[in-house]
Amino acid sequence: MVRWVSANAPRSRQRAVGPSEIGVDCMRRLAYRYAGAEPVNTAADPWFAFVGTAVHENLAIAIDRYNAEVLGPPNGSRDYGQRRYWVEERVTAGADQHGVSGSCDLYDADRHVVIDHKVVGATALKKYINHGPSNQYRTQIHLYGLGHAQAGRPVREVAIAFYPRSGYLTDLHVWSEPYRPQIAHDALRRATTVRQLAAALPIGHIPAHADQVACTWCPFYRPGGPADTTGCPGPG
Ligand code: SF4
């Protein structure tokens, strides 16, 4: 049942490329998405993603209750214009038909901070504490920042809250930096280039950034054989 619900989750069936994908290091992986390729690496264990989704859903409930029951009116209002914390607000970054849309985990309307939740394992948590977020995560949060800003809401800072998948709430690590729209604009420009390459070149000619760990989680990873429309051998 867990495998079925994971395979049929809206995110798994998502056709449009979203803010979480644009900043991926591997251009070829992004090109597969723009080319509309079907995922072939479907054997990956869905548990981490399942846990992540469950935590996101419960955080949304917790923040909504906090708005309504602790901050009180008008924060509990259904009118988001009256609230301090905006949960899962749909935003679009980019002005043309190639803009990317997604649900932003949290916006603090008092402090003008855009926040993304990530649920991570112990090794990854240590890495993010020591080295900061990946390009992909950083790009994603700045794209949400751009989306909120383009919708007319002030954005001063972006943040990623890393929650331990196995650990305590006291292990929570929050990374933040000032909002820099240029990061989002650069990512959108790169995505346009990849989209054009995907339309013009065989997929195997598009530069790849093969990484043993990242490739394992790539939906198009198919060890053995050449890189073609049916999959990519990754580091092999
Ligand atoms: S398998 Fe690795 S190299 Fe190939 S497209 Fe995916 S991330 Fe890129």
Side-chain angles (χ1 to χ4, degrees):
M1 284 186 279
V2 168
R3 287 186 193 283
W4 177 84
V5 84
S6 299
N8 290 284
R11 188 181 287 264
S12 307
R13 299 201 318 236
Q14 181 178 312
R15 305 308 295 184
V17 179
S20 64
E21 300 171 278
I22 296 284
V24 71
D25 287 329
C26 182
M27 288 172 75
R28 188 183 296 165
R29 176 171 169 174
L30 193 51
Y32 273 112
R33 288 287 285 121
Y34 280 122
E38 286 297 325
V40 287
N41 185 17
T42 50
D45 193 301
W47 187 243
F48 287 177
F50 189 85
V51 172
T53 302
V55 172
H56 273 78
E57 288 176 0
N58 220 10
L59 282 168
I61 291 169
I63 295 162
D64 271 343
R65 281 196 58 193
Y66 187 88
N67 258 327
E69 297 175 29
V70 178
L71 299 183
N75 287 285
S77 164
R78 288 194 173 276
D79 175 3
Y80 261 35
Q82 303 287 310
R83 302 175 68 148
R84 173 169 180 182
Y85 293 113
W86 297 40
V87 179
E88 299 288 355
E89 181 70 7
R90 190 114 191 124
V91 295
T92 300
D96 60 10
Q97 76 276 24
H98 299 305
V100 289
S101 300
S103 287
C104 174
D105 288 338
L106 188 58
Y107 171 69
D108 181 340
D110 278 11
R111 293 184 55 210
H112 305 154
V113 186
V114 175
I115 302 156
D116 194 38
H117 307 312
K118 297 288 182 205
V119 182
V120 298
T123 309
L125 183 60
K126 248 187 229 154
K127 189 177 80 183
Y128 296 132
I129 290 170
N130 291 330
H131 304 292
S134 62
N135 285 333
Q136 190 175 357
Y137 285 176
R138 190 167 174 233
T139 301
Q140 180 185 6
I141 192 63
H142 281 282
L143 285 165
Y144 288 140
L146 181 62
H148 275 289
Q150 286 182 330
R153 291 178 282 275
V155 178
R156 186 179 57 81
E157 197 176 1
V158 296
I160 304 174
F162 292 99
Y163 298 82
R165 193 166 41 234
S166 57
Y168 296 95
L169 194 55
T170 48
D171 299 325
L172 170 72
H173 171 65
V174 180
W175 168 92
S176 69
E177 71 176 5
Y179 167 54
R180 290 169 53 191
Q182 196 58 45
I183 291 176
H185 288 300
D186 288 348
L188 290 170
R189 244 193 311 276
R190 175 181 181 260
T192 299
T193 304
V194 174
R195 194 174 54 246
Q196 290 166 345
L197 287 174
L201 294 176
I203 202 92
H205 290 217
I206 296 177
H209 181 99
D211 171 278
Q212 191 62 62
V213 176
C215 291
T216 306
W217 295 100
C218 173
F220 310 104
Y221 179 47
R222 190 221 41 218
D228 59 22
T229 50
T230 60
C232 171

